[in-house]
Amino acid sequence: MESIQQIKNRIDSIIGTRQITQSMRLVSTVRLRAARDRMVANETFNRETARLVQEAAREPDAFDHPYVRGGMGGNATALPKCVIVVGSDRGLCGGYNINVCKEAGALMRALGQFKLITVGQKIRDYFAQPGRNMGTNETIKSFTGISETPFFEDAEEIANTALALFNGGEVDEIFLIHTRFINMLTLVPARTLLLPFGKQSQALPSDGADRGSDNPDRVSGMRALTNYEPGCAAFLSHSVPFYMAAVIFGSILESSVCEQCSRTMSMDTAVKNADEMIETLTLRYNKERQNAITTELADIIGGMRALELKLGRGVASGKGGP
């Protein structure tokens, strides 16, 4: 059984931990607001960029473009796929990283052969463990230090790395896996096929099925009348690298919001658990302290009674007089 001092030490330790988690919760709340503002400000740009490129890919003279039909390496059926996984650089954010890793793992098992690009130190470390890369598959490049405050230049570097594999005939499809923000309590790992356009099931590769209302084509059934000069094929060749960077940048921004949201909720839970533990230990401390006081009083009263009895016997026997 723990002593009173040991219980008091545990209470002090938990109080210190609570102060840390409370501070992290406040910091994450501020960062969440900033990250969400960046995500919302980027949504219109990202949506319009995707719409413009997607419409060009549906034009008849673009059907034979490698970015639409795929298979730049010739024997497309034997080529591996490129998988970009977006996570965080830091932990203490609940199941945020493990959920996106599980989603990536499920896709990788379905693909069989793939080349991996990771964003975030936690994602890199997860797939660096033995058996996580599923045998002969390899990690092409890892990007760290950009998950919380991403810049468009970071997304461009990631997009150029993936496109180099696609243009060089090393892969024939590019997948993006990140976490989609629905609300503070709902963060959903999502996968998106970025290239080729001809195999995409969604009209807007940057948006999931839950955001179908964002697609103007689905709502109205109409498309904007756009002329592409010198042609759709040339337009795709020049615009797809920028489009890829825009989609990846939007995904990293959204993942950053999810990371801060998950960390805020985790720290909030940690603070509440610390409060419960402090309350329980304080009650236990008070009981043990009361028991100790009661025991001391019982010893004192017992000693006094014994002394009184001893003095009483001495007086009765005549030994207590002068």
Side-chain angles (χ1 to χ4, degrees), residues 67-227:
Y67 289 152
V68 178
R69 61 176 172 79
M72 296 192 71
N75 188 13
T77 57
L79 292 177
K81 320 300 180 183
C82 177
V83 181
I84 305 172
V85 186
V86 180
S88 70
D89 291 300
R90 298 191 299 123
L92 296 177
C93 49
Y96 166 73
N97 287 306
I98 192 63
N99 288 337
V100 75
C101 287
K102 287 181 178 179
E103 180 71 18
L107 175 62
M108 293 170 185
R109 284 190 293 272
L111 296 177
Q113 292 184 332
F114 60 88
K115 293 182 182 293
L116 181 64
I117 298 175
T118 63
V119 180
Q121 183 175 340
K122 293 298 180 181
I123 307 299
R124 181 197 66 185
D125 295 344
Y126 178 88
F127 288 105
Q129 299 176 19
R132 298 293 189 186
N133 61 354
M134 303 178 190
T136 59
N137 300 291
E138 59 178 324
T139 300
I140 300 300
K141 194 169 184 179
S142 298
F143 297 86
T144 60
I146 64 175
S147 64
E148 290 190 3
T149 310
F151 294 96
F152 193 80
E153 291 77 9
D154 301 319
E156 282 185 317
E157 187 176 357
I158 298 171
N160 291 337
T161 302
L163 278 175
L165 297 174
F166 189 90
N167 295 335
E170 299 182 49
V171 300
D172 69 318
E173 293 178 4
I174 300 177
F175 287 89
L176 174 66
I177 298 179
H178 75 291
T179 306
R180 191 172 301 288
F181 177 82
I182 307 300
N183 54 52
M184 286 289 292
L185 299 177
T186 308
L187 310 174
V188 182
R191 67 179 71 170
T192 302
L193 176 61
L194 298 181
L195 287 180
F197 293 112
K199 295 183 180 180
Q200 292 175 352
S201 59
Q202 302 294 335
L204 286 181
S206 59
D207 291 337
D210 54 287
R211 293 190 177 181
S213 59
D214 290 343
N215 186 353
D217 293 349
R218 291 186 201 161
V219 176
S220 62
M222 300 176 62
R223 294 192 310 171
L225 296 178
T226 308
N227 292 324

Side-chain angles (χ1 to χ4, degrees), residues 2-322:
E2 289 181 308
S3 65
I4 296 177
Q5 186 60 43
Q6 288 175 326
I7 296 175
K8 188 175 185 304
N9 291 338
R10 286 188 62 189
I11 293 175
D12 293 339
S13 176
I14 295 173
I15 290 176
T17 302
R18 185 193 182 281
Q19 292 175 345
I20 295 173
T21 54
Q22 172 72 359
S23 300
M24 294 183 65
R25 180 177 67 175
L26 296 176
V27 172
S28 296
T29 301
V30 175
R31 290 180 174 176
L32 171 61
R33 187 179 299 112
R36 192 168 183 179
D37 289 343
R38 292 188 70 194
M39 181 188 74
V40 172
N42 182 70
E43 278 183 345
T44 302
F45 168 78
N46 195 31
R47 182 173 60 248
E48 291 303 311
T49 301
R51 180 190 62 80
L52 190 63
V53 176
Q54 187 69 29
E55 287 184 356
R58 290 199 293 265
E59 295 295 331
D61 58 336
F63 288 166
D64 289 333
H65 195 283
Y67 289 152
V68 178
R69 61 176 172 79
M72 296 192 71
N75 188 13
T77 57
L79 292 177
K81 320 300 180 183
C82 177
V83 181
I84 305 172
V85 186
V86 180
S88 70
D89 291 300
R90 298 191 299 123
L92 296 177
C93 49
Y96 166 73
N97 287 306
I98 192 63
N99 288 337
V100 75
C101 287
K102 287 181 178 179
E103 180 71 18
L107 175 62
M108 293 170 185
R109 284 190 293 272
L111 296 177
Q113 292 184 332
F114 60 88
K115 293 182 182 293
L116 181 64
I117 298 175
T118 63
V119 180
Q121 183 175 340
K122 293 298 180 181
I123 307 299
R124 181 197 66 185
D125 295 344
Y126 178 88
F127 288 105
Q129 299 176 19
R132 298 293 189 186
N133 61 354
M134 303 178 190
T136 59
N137 300 291
E138 59 178 324
T139 300
I140 300 300
K141 194 169 184 179
S142 298
F143 297 86
T144 60
I146 64 175
S147 64
E148 290 190 3
T149 310
F151 294 96
F152 193 80
E153 291 77 9
D154 301 319
E156 282 185 317
E157 187 176 357
I158 298 171
N160 291 337
T161 302
L163 278 175
L165 297 174
F166 189 90
N167 295 335
E170 299 182 49
V171 300
D172 69 318
E173 293 178 4
I174 300 177
F175 287 89
L176 174 66
I177 298 179
H178 75 291
T179 306
R180 191 172 301 288
F181 177 82
I182 307 300
N183 54 52
M184 286 289 292
L185 299 177
T186 308
L187 310 174
V188 182
R191 67 179 71 170
T192 302
L193 176 61
L194 298 181
L195 287 180
F197 293 112
K199 295 183 180 180
Q200 292 175 352
S201 59
Q202 302 294 335
L204 286 181
S206 59
D207 291 337
D210 54 287
R211 293 190 177 181
S213 59
D214 290 343
N215 186 353
D217 293 349
R218 291 186 201 161
V219 176
S220 62
M222 300 176 62
R223 294 192 310 171
L225 296 178
T226 308
N227 292 324
Y228 299 93
E229 296 293 343
C232 290
F235 174 78
L236 287 177
S237 298
H238 287 85
S239 63
V240 164
F242 181 82
Y243 154 79
M244 287 274 293
V247 173
I248 293 173
F249 180 60
S251 300
I252 298 177
L253 285 177
E254 189 171 15
S255 296
S256 178
V257 173
C258 295
E259 176 188 350
Q260 298 303 333
C261 180
S262 182
R263 184 171 290 114
T264 300
M265 300 302 295
S266 297
M267 293 302 102
D268 183 68
T269 302
V271 170
K272 292 179 180 178
N273 291 340
D275 289 337
E276 293 179 1
M277 293 181 66
I278 291 172
E279 182 180 355
T280 302
L281 288 174
T282 300
L283 180 61
R284 183 176 168 187
Y285 171 80
N286 291 335
K287 287 182 178 180
E288 293 294 334
R289 186 168 174 269
Q290 186 64 41
N291 289 337
I293 293 174
T294 303
T295 302
E296 290 181 6
L297 289 175
D299 291 341
I300 294 173
I301 294 172
M304 292 178 62
R305 291 292 302 273
L307 183 60
E308 289 175 357
L309 291 175
K310 183 177 180 180
L311 292 175
R313 290 195 190 104
V315 171
S317 62
K319 297 180 180 179

